[in-house]
Amino acid sequence: MGAADEHHSHLLSSHHAQMLASVSNRSVESAMETIVHSYTRAINGFAAKMLPSQASMLQQMPGVVSVFEDYTVSLQTTRSINFIGLEDASGNTAANSLWKKTMGENMIIGVLDSGVWPESASFSDAGLPASLPAKWHGSCASSASFTCNRKVIGARYYGSSGGSPLNPRDVTGHGSHVSSIAAGARVAGVDDLGLARGTAKGVAPQARIAVYKICWAVKCAGADVLKGWDDAIGDGVDVINYSVGSSNSPYWSDVASIGSFHAVQTGVVVVAAAANGGIGCVVHNTAPWVTTVAASTIDRRFPSNVVLGDGSVYQGSSINNFSLGNSFYPLVNGRDIPAPTTSPESAMGCSPGALDPAKAQGKIVLCGPPSVDFKDVADGLKAIGAVGFIMGNDANGKERLLSLRFTMPATQVGNTAANSISSYIKSSGNPTAKIIPPTTVINQKPSPMMGIFSCKGPNPVVSDILKPDVTAPGVDILAAWSEAADKPPLKYKFDSGTSMASPHVAGLSTLLKSLNPDWSPAAIKSAIMTTAYTQDNTGTTILDGDYDVAGPFNYGSGHINPVAAADPGLVYDVGKQDYVAFLCNIGFSARQIQAMTGEPGNCPATRGRGSDLNYPSVTLTNLAREAAVTRTLTSVSDSPSTYSIGITPPSGISVTANPTSLMFSKKGEQKTFTLNFVVNYDFLPQQYVYGEYVWYDNTHTVRSPIVVNAVSRLAIGEEKLVSEI
């Protein structure tokens, strides 16, 4: 930070203290002590400890556009690099790989997370230039216990809610895992418990990393989050990865939405996790200027099968390094051995204290879906002398693909397999079983599949913007870890979540920005979205975690395709004024727009709808009769070309385009088209329906999903009269 910047920052901080002093009957010096953070670099504001009455007074002061209470949000690769096409089957750079053009040299990825374990080999600076990128204006909170290098070039920490240690060091593993997926160096001979042995590397392995420790354990204070955004923007990062949740409150009061808006306006690409939670959870980080990433599998599995005494074999899945040898052990169903005060139904989940120790000792126990953490189940079974356990999955007959990390010989099986094993126990006079230790297998089908935990749409904040935007590898990803997180320490570990998917896209965004420095964040996002694919390696539509057909609410535009994203042909570009118009269209007041953007917002008397934003997907909710949506495409190709449109309309919806062909003569040229939607009420399903439209030439396919939810005839006053006899 230069002298002029420091002076500006000091003036803003003093002004913040004066404002706080005026509502708290304190001196300016005393008020300064209550300020947690002053945001002075890209954002003008502050976080402070104050009474509700003082906050109310502050809200009424001239020039104050928004005051809201602090809150917390939560934290949410050996094979994945091959799976997304950057390497071939032998681990070499693929012939058409984006790595042939760039590996992220001279780029900086800002990671807002739980810090980093700097000693990890994934953060080695070997082979990197001695000089740092000229655009870098950040710093490193170095100490005797933490130092930066030419890979991790910046590190800051924020501890407004407490936390230890008070330095940028990662003690949970999350931040290290995320950072190494995005930009980790090549490290050979990596594995976790002997599984998935190979070479780890990040998507942009030559990029530099700047870490902003905003999270302690799994909680991240909003005041710290916003300060991290402010610093990352001011430090000069190119891309920000945010594998943290959001509040899903209106954008003007959500710190992630505010911070990311300011980042995008300075040219920083922002990528964020869609959040985890399982069935029914809704997507987070939904602002349209953010690339929101769902999580899906790669084609690697860790089978750990169950062999019964009658020779039957059932597929299981597990991550552990325990072995029962080749011996069969007595097999018992947990519901058949309840403790004296426990019902069979309660014993079925094998919760600690639910089973009779004498009847479990020396046996493998079959357990139903647990009502407590599966780790607690394992600890309880070990304590009463069980030698292993088989965990049945959710009662829907489906096999979950998230391999669990067991602390004893164990595996999980699907509900159908669990029922068959239970029937064997009932029918056999001497039921026995053995659990085969897990192995690593690749080229599995179907892949990808959606992670069962990956949160879904529709967008809970603005339903006319489809979220998530894309999906990327996020299940059983092997990457760097904090050696303070586990005992014994682990250098590399499997982890799953949209937190792991997001840095894959952050790394890809870094490669695209390195290759195309003149592309806007919206153009980079568009390139990734419009080139994504929706079919798995069996040639059918990607499935969800229950083996049902997935759709745009699961994966957005589809699974990332780095090779295609490097040459999208056309992009949907968006600028600041487009986003301001969007905020007007979704009902923001002038004051709320100023809270969001830092500048006064003036909206026209007649407002449109959220779907008017020039977004790479089209979502229409509460569609009544008909609507028209306009989009503008920009050529990013060196060659002239004519594109034609193909439309697959949603069920019950007629979709036409005008015009049906677009001719681009040069790079940078823009063309506008309109999609006309008409509801056919005779064939309209009573739910969301999906389709797509594609602009294509001889080289490029620019695909956009369509999502429509039409209102019923009754809702628009067109109900039919029905006579009953």
Side-chain angles (χ1 to χ4, degrees):
M1 185 185 296
D5 292 331
E6 290 181 356
H7 179 65
H8 174 72
S9 177
H10 175 72
L11 288 177
L12 282 178
S13 297
S14 298
H15 179 57
H16 297 159
Q18 291 168 3
M19 295 171 66
L20 188 56
S22 69
V23 300
S24 60
N25 294 320
R26 295 170 176 259
S27 67
V28 172
E29 292 76 13
S30 177
M32 184 72 80
E33 295 176 358
T34 67
I35 293 180
V36 178
H37 296 302
S38 274
Y39 312 119
T40 61
R41 305 185 72 182
I43 303 164
N44 182 10
F46 64 93
K49 299 175 182 178
M50 67 184 80
L51 298 173
S53 59
Q54 295 168 343
S56 179
M57 293 169 62
L58 193 63
Q59 178 72 76
Q60 305 306 315
M61 291 181 64
V64 176
V65 295
S66 176
V67 177
F68 51 88
E69 187 175 358
D70 196 10
Y71 54 87
T72 61
V73 290
S74 301
L75 286 170
Q76 314 283 330
T77 88
T78 49
R79 180 68 179 173
S80 62
I81 298 300
N82 170 277
F83 189 74
I84 63 175
L86 294 174
E87 289 184 335
D88 61 21
S90 301
N92 300 313
T93 301
N96 61 348
S97 173
L98 193 48
W99 279 358
K100 291 285 188 179
K101 301 174 182 178
T102 177
M103 299 184 83
E105 294 85 352
N106 209 41
M107 304 297 289
I108 307 169
I109 302 177
V111 181
L112 276 63
D113 213 286
S114 65
V116 71
W117 188 264
E119 295 83 5
S120 171
S122 287
F123 307 121
S124 167
D125 61 4
L128 291 175
S131 60
L132 300 184
K135 58 194 165 188
W136 175 244
H137 304 296
S139 63
C140 178
S142 58
S143 64
S145 62
F146 187 98
T147 58
C148 293
N149 60 10
R150 289 170 293 143
K151 169 59 92 172
V152 179
I153 63 174
R156 299 177 184 267
Y157 63 93
Y158 316 91
S160 69
S161 58
S164 178
L166 284 174
N167 60 40
R169 182 173 294 280
D170 175 24
V171 296
T172 69
H174 192 275
S176 301
H177 206 270
V178 166
S179 296
S180 65
I181 293 170
R186 290 179 65 91
V187 184
V190 165
D191 67 74
D192 182 7
L193 300 179
L195 298 171
R197 188 169 182 82
T199 300
K201 77 285 292 183
V203 177
Q206 291 294 307
R208 316 300 180 99
I209 299 169
V211 298
Y212 302 85
K213 186 176 180 179
I214 58 172
C215 300
W216 304 82
V218 295
K219 295 299 181 182
C220 322
D224 293 346
V225 171
L226 193 56
K227 182 59 175 172
W229 283 103
D230 191 39
D231 280 339
I233 298 165
D235 287 347
V237 304
D238 296 291
V239 175
I240 290 176
N241 184 83
Y242 185 71
S243 289
V244 183
S246 68
S247 65
N248 272 349
S249 58
Y251 298 142
W252 62 267
S253 63
D254 175 62
V255 292
S257 298
I258 295 169
S260 58
F261 181 89
H262 286 271
V264 168
Q265 301 321 306
T266 61
V268 178
V269 182
V270 177
V271 184
N276 313 316
I279 297 173
C281 70
V282 295
V283 61
H284 286 215
N285 295 310
T286 64
W289 45 86
V290 174
T291 304
T292 310
V293 188
S296 44
T297 68
I298 57 177
D299 62 348
R300 181 180 62 199
R301 307 281 190 270
F302 305 107
S304 176
N305 295 341
V306 176
V307 181
L308 302 182
D310 64 1
S312 301
V313 180
Y314 295 95
Q315 180 183 4
S317 183
S318 175
I319 294 176
N320 70 70
N321 60 352
F322 298 98
S323 175
L324 292 174
N326 199 37
S327 301
F328 283 86
Y329 286 82
L331 175 64
V332 64
N333 194 329
R335 66 172 296 143
D336 296 335
I337 56 169
T341 58
T342 305
S343 68
E345 290 73 20
S346 298
M348 184 171 61
C350 301
S351 299
L355 303 184
D356 185 336
K359 296 179 180 178
Q361 189 170 18
K363 297 180 175 67
I364 295 174
V365 183
L366 172 67
C367 303
S371 58
V372 298
D373 191 292
F374 71 92
K375 297 176 184 176
D376 294 332
V377 173
D379 290 342
L381 288 170
K382 284 194 296 183
I384 61 175
V387 298
F389 85 101
I390 302 164
M391 191 180 87
N393 228 310
D394 291 340
N396 60 0
K398 309 296 184 181
E399 178 64 60
R400 303 295 191 218
L401 292 173
L402 181 62
S403 298
L404 300 178
R405 192 181 189 91
F406 293 105
T407 56
M408 67 184 301
T411 188
Q412 63 163 334
V413 298
N415 186 65
T416 300
N419 287 338
S420 297
I421 295 171
S422 178
S423 296
Y424 163 73
I425 293 172
K426 291 179 180 178
S427 62
S428 173
N430 182 31
T432 60
K434 63 180 178 180
I435 300 172
I436 306 300
T439 57
T440 305
V441 296
I442 59 174
N443 299 317
Q444 297 299 289
K445 297 180 179 181
S447 298
M449 291 180 64
M450 299 307 301
I452 191 66
F453 52 81
S454 188
C455 291
K456 310 169 190 63
N459 186 330
V461 182
V462 179
S463 58
D464 277 349
I465 296 295
L466 176 62
K467 290 289 178 171
D469 292 306
V470 290
T471 188
V475 178
D476 297 335
I477 304 300
L478 181 61
W481 201 247
S482 167
E483 294 185 37
D486 295 279
K487 293 181 180 180
L490 293 170
K491 295 179 183 294
Y492 290 83
K493 186 177 180 179
F494 293 111
D495 205 358
S496 297
T498 57
S499 288
M500 287 66 246
S502 181
H504 281 89
V505 180
L508 173 56
S509 299
T510 302
L511 298 179
L512 294 177
K513 188 169 184 178
S514 174
L515 192 63
N516 304 281
D518 58 332
W519 284 12
S520 69
I524 291 172
K525 175 178 180 174
S526 175
I528 294 171
M529 290 176 64
T530 60
T531 58
Y533 61 86
T534 60
Q535 292 190 327
D536 60 29
N537 56 4
T538 70
T540 59
T541 302
I542 293 171
L543 303 178
D544 67 13
D546 285 330
Y547 284 77
D548 296 322
V549 175
F553 284 153
N554 301 94
Y555 51 60
S557 293
H559 192 283
I560 61 169
N561 184 348
V563 173
D567 182 23
L570 304 171
V571 296
Y572 295 88
D573 212 351
V574 182
K576 181 175 182 178
Q577 293 310 310
D578 300 308
Y579 287 128
V580 172
F582 163 78
L583 297 176
C584 288
N585 289 341
I586 63 173
F588 273 34
S589 67
R591 190 181 186 92
Q592 290 168 341
I593 290 175
Q594 188 171 2
M596 184 81 245
T597 68
E599 300 176 3
N602 296 310
C603 295
T606 302
R607 304 192 186 199
R609 56 186 299 165
S611 55
D612 292 338
L613 182 67
N614 196 42
Y615 210 64
S617 60
V618 173
T619 303
L620 293 170
T621 53
N622 299 321
L623 174 61
R625 300 191 186 94
E626 59 186 30
V629 173
T630 299
R631 292 287 188 267
T632 298
L633 284 163
T634 302
S635 174
V636 292
S637 177
D638 292 322
S639 303
S641 188
T642 298
Y643 287 78
S644 300
I645 193 169
I647 301 174
T648 304
S651 177
I653 308 293
S654 169
V655 185
T656 58
N658 183 32
T660 57
S661 66
L662 300 172
M663 185 175 70
F664 295 87
S665 58
K666 60 182 179 180
K667 180 185 288 189
E669 186 175 5
Q670 294 186 327
K671 298 286 185 179
T672 297
F673 65 95
T674 299
L675 295 173
N676 297 292
F677 295 79
V678 179
V679 180
N680 184 341
Y681 283 102
D682 292 330
F683 298 95
L684 181 68
Q686 299 299 310
Q687 57 191 0
Y688 281 96
V689 287
Y690 314 107
E692 66 178 28
Y693 68 95
V694 180
W695 287 101
Y696 59 93
D697 65 1
N698 292 329
T699 305
H700 307 97
T701 300
V702 186
R703 191 183 63 83
S704 296
I706 298 171
V707 178
V708 176
N709 179 27
V711 298
S712 67
R713 288 179 186 267
L714 182 63
I716 60 174
E718 291 188 358
E719 64 272 21
K720 292 181 178 180
L721 296 177
V722 179
S723 298
E724 294 186 1
I725 298 176

